[in-house]
């Protein structure tokens, strides 16, 4: 007979597992809540299903059942007269909010089609998107709503560290800066604000560059905007030449060693002797530095492998990849900006 090493009772264990596997349903409830803009409609006051069905052009009975489900998840409350009011939790999911973007991205088909292939990821080592027939980044090129939600989440993630980054690294010495995989331009625009004489290049997939070209005018000053050149392409094929600084933030974590080597090789080819490469990323903890976040780190790392084909890497692996592609490391600054996973900086030159 096999002896269990768990201190959890069978009944409690079943409750935990029931909660875990039903999380997928809850995530889709939240996604529908966002897509239907329920919080927006209820922000001005409670409504009955009949009063809400008309502006939504919804099936009234199905809407009522959905609102009851939302109430069970704390997004709305139901009054004695059958009217529904949005809760503080539900208001966090108003259109355009950071949490709404997280939900549209994380509960969207692009992510879930990759997660559905998790067993094949384990068996083959390929990303879930590739197993499903299309890498998630290529999928986003054909699904703008999900792509926009994903890029908003990435911009929010960048905003967590960018002010600390300009404090620990002097960008004023550079004349031309290329942000490789720069998303909506959050990092590049902040760096250019700190380096008023520099020109910048935002380089990413064409649909992302189009998104940045549309969104940045409302978010940055005219002085910064006029110094940004927008270039679309794939960094796994080539990168723009002629810069004295190349920035790669939150990129290497998404790709396999082979693809990271290809990207670093593309960078090394176009960089002039002495030009700099700046990498901002997370490091995996080793056994000596593992902390309370180790469990979440394992989930995040395997999640990256499942979605994109990458993983969290310890510092030693970053060093090995850079050295193998011809770079010399000048500076390593660990934990320059705190968050669940502290941000780290590597500066290298060709």
């Amino acid at each position: 007979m096999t002896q269990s090493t768990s201190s959890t009772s069978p009944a409690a264990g079943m409750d935990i597992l029931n909660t875990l596997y039903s999380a997928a349903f809850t995530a889709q409830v939240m996604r529908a809540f966002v897509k239907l803009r329920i919080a927006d409609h209820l922000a001005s006051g409670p409504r009955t299903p009949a009063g809400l069905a008309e502006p939504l052009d919804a099936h009234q009975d199905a809407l009522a059942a959905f609102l009851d489900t939302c109430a069970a998840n704390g997004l709305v409350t139901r009054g004695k007269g059958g009217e529904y009011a949005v809760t503080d939790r539900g208001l966090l999911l108003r259109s355009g909010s950071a949490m709404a973007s997280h939900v549209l991205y994380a509960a969207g088909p692009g992510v879930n089609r990759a997660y559905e292939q998790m067993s094949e990821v384990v068996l083959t080592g390929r990303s879930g998107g590739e197993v499903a027939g299309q890498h998630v980044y290529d999928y986003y090129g054909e699904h703008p709503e999900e792509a926009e939600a994903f890029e908003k989440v990435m911009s929010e993630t960048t905003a967590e560290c960018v002010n600390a980054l300009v404090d620990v690294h002097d960008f004023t010495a550079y004349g031309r800066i290329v942000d490789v995989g720069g998303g909506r331009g959050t990092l590049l625009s902040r760096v250019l604000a700190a380096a008023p004489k520099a020109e910048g290049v935002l380089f990413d997939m064409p649909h992302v560059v189009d998104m940045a070209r549309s969104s940045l005018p409302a978010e940055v000053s005219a002085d910064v905007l006029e110094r940004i050149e927008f270039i679309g392409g794939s960094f796994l094929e080539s990168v723009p030449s002629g810069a004295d600084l190349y920035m790669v933030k939150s990129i290497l974590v998404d790709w396999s060693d082979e693809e990271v080597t290809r990207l670093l090789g593309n960078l090394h080819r176009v960089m002039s002797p002495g030009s700099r490469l700046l990498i901002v990323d997370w490091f995996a903890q080793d056994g000596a530095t593992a902390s309370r976040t180790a469990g979440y780190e394992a989930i995040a790392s395997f999640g990256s492998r499942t979605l994109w084909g990458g993983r969290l890497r310890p510092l030693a692996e970053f060093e090995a990849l850079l050295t193998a592609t011809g770079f010399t490391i000048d500076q390593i600054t660990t934990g320059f900006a705190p968050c669940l996973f502290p941000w780290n900086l590597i500066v290298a030159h060709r």
Side-chain angles (χ1 to χ4, degrees):
M1 182 176 71
T2 302
Q3 183 176 0
S4 172
T5 59
S6 173
S7 60
T8 305
S9 69
M14 287 293 290
D15 286 343
I16 292 170
L17 291 176
N18 284 332
T19 299
L20 289 174
Y21 82 71
S22 64
F25 175 81
T26 303
Q28 293 307 318
V29 170
M30 295 170 65
R31 181 169 178 264
F33 188 87
V34 172
K35 287 179 69 67
L36 293 169
R37 301 177 64 245
I38 300 295
D40 300 63
H41 285 288
L42 296 181
S44 60
R47 294 197 191 186
T48 63
L52 192 55
E54 183 176 353
L56 289 177
D57 193 23
H59 187 284
Q60 185 174 321
D61 289 345
L63 174 60
F66 175 70
L67 290 171
D68 284 339
T69 303
C70 292
N73 285 283
L75 303 177
V76 299
T77 57
R78 182 178 180 178
K80 293 181 179 179
E83 71 283 356
Y84 292 84
V86 66
T87 64
D88 289 343
R89 181 187 300 178
L91 284 173
L92 294 173
L93 296 175
R94 292 189 71 167
S95 298
S97 69
M99 186 55 68
S101 295
H102 274 266
V103 169
L104 290 175
Y105 149 61
V111 167
N112 281 281
R113 65 190 282 279
Y115 285 167
E116 288 169 2
Q117 307 301 325
M118 196 172 288
S119 60
E120 290 299 311
V121 172
V122 172
L123 294 175
T124 68
R126 300 169 66 202
S127 73
E130 290 173 305
V131 173
Q134 188 179 36
H135 194 280
V136 176
Y137 282 136
D138 294 324
Y139 170 92
Y140 283 153
E142 300 173 4
H143 297 82
E145 180 188 60
E146 289 176 75
E148 183 175 359
F150 171 73
E151 292 300 335
K152 284 184 177 179
V153 171
M154 294 302 100
S155 291
E156 180 191 354
T157 303
T158 297
E160 293 176 349
C161 77
V162 66
N163 287 334
L165 178 61
V166 298
D167 286 339
V168 298
H169 190 81
D170 181 11
F171 289 92
T172 60
Y174 305 108
R176 182 173 170 85
I177 300 170
V178 174
D179 191 359
V180 178
R184 288 161 52 93
T186 302
L187 173 62
L188 181 61
S189 59
R190 179 66 182 87
V191 165
L192 291 179
K197 295 182 180 180
E199 303 288 331
V201 175
L202 184 67
F203 181 67
D204 210 316
M205 298 177 72
H207 73 274
V208 179
V209 170
D210 288 343
M211 198 182 304
R213 191 182 282 113
S214 297
S215 63
L216 273 179
E219 299 172 1
V220 304
S221 69
D223 168 68
V224 168
L225 187 64
E226 67 184 11
R227 289 185 282 130
I228 297 177
E229 180 183 0
F230 299 88
I231 300 179
S234 169
F235 54 61
L236 295 179
E237 297 175 2
S238 64
V239 295
S241 60
D244 47 3
L245 176 67
Y246 288 82
M247 302 189 298
V248 178
K249 181 195 167 294
S250 306
I251 299 297
L252 304 190
V253 67
D254 290 347
W255 300 95
S256 68
D257 287 352
E258 178 184 351
E259 290 159 328
V260 168
T261 299
R262 191 187 315 167
L263 166 58
L264 293 176
N266 290 339
L267 287 163
H268 193 271
R269 249 185 312 278
V270 301
M271 291 171 65
S272 302
S275 56
R276 295 289 185 88
L277 170 63
L278 187 150
I279 295 172
V280 178
D281 218 317
W282 301 294
F283 294 160
Q285 301 173 94
D286 58 29
T289 58
S291 70
R292 62 181 178 82
T293 64
Y296 187 77
E297 178 182 302
I299 293 171
S301 187
F302 186 69
S304 179
R305 182 184 292 272
T306 301
L307 283 175
W308 327 112
R311 59 191 169 83
L312 293 177
R313 293 177 174 86
L315 172 58
E317 292 189 20
F318 280 92
E319 293 174 316
L321 287 164
L322 285 163
T323 300
T325 47
F327 286 97
T328 299
I329 297 174
D330 301 313
Q331 174 191 347
I332 297 170
T333 305
T334 59
F336 72 84
C339 64
L340 182 58
F341 293 150
W343 290 102
N344 307 289
L345 170 65
I346 301 175
V347 181
H349 72 268
R350 183 186 186 283

